[in-house]
Amino acid sequence: MTTDDKEMWRINIENDTDMVCSMYGSETAESVFRRHGATCFDDLSPACYEEVFGDLELMINDD
């Protein structure tokens, strides 16, 4: 994964995390990371980026 790819994932996941926090609260957003053994993007495995992003997107678009 290139540095640009990782930065793209960071931006998208952090933006979606902020949106989920504002819609449902921080506990809900944190639960997505916990399911993948992480507390935030920085300790999230790159193998989980797509799934975490998808989970966050589902929450946002479920409204």
Side-chain angles (χ1 to χ4, degrees), residues 24-41:
Y24 303 108
S26 61
E27 177 61 32
T28 301
E30 290 167 6
S31 72
V32 175
F33 288 94
R34 278 197 306 271
R35 283 195 303 266
H36 298 280
T39 59
C40 63
F41 181 85

Side-chain angles (χ1 to χ4, degrees), residues 1-10 13 33 36-54:
M1 177 176 298
T2 68
T3 303
D4 287 342
D5 288 340
K6 184 171 183 174
E7 186 59 21
M8 177 208 58
W9 280 115
R10 173 186 294 281
I13 289 173
F33 288 94
H36 298 280
T39 59
C40 63
F41 181 85
D42 291 329
D43 58 356
L44 183 64
S45 168
C48 299
Y49 290 173
E50 188 172 350
E51 189 172 348
V52 168
F53 179 71

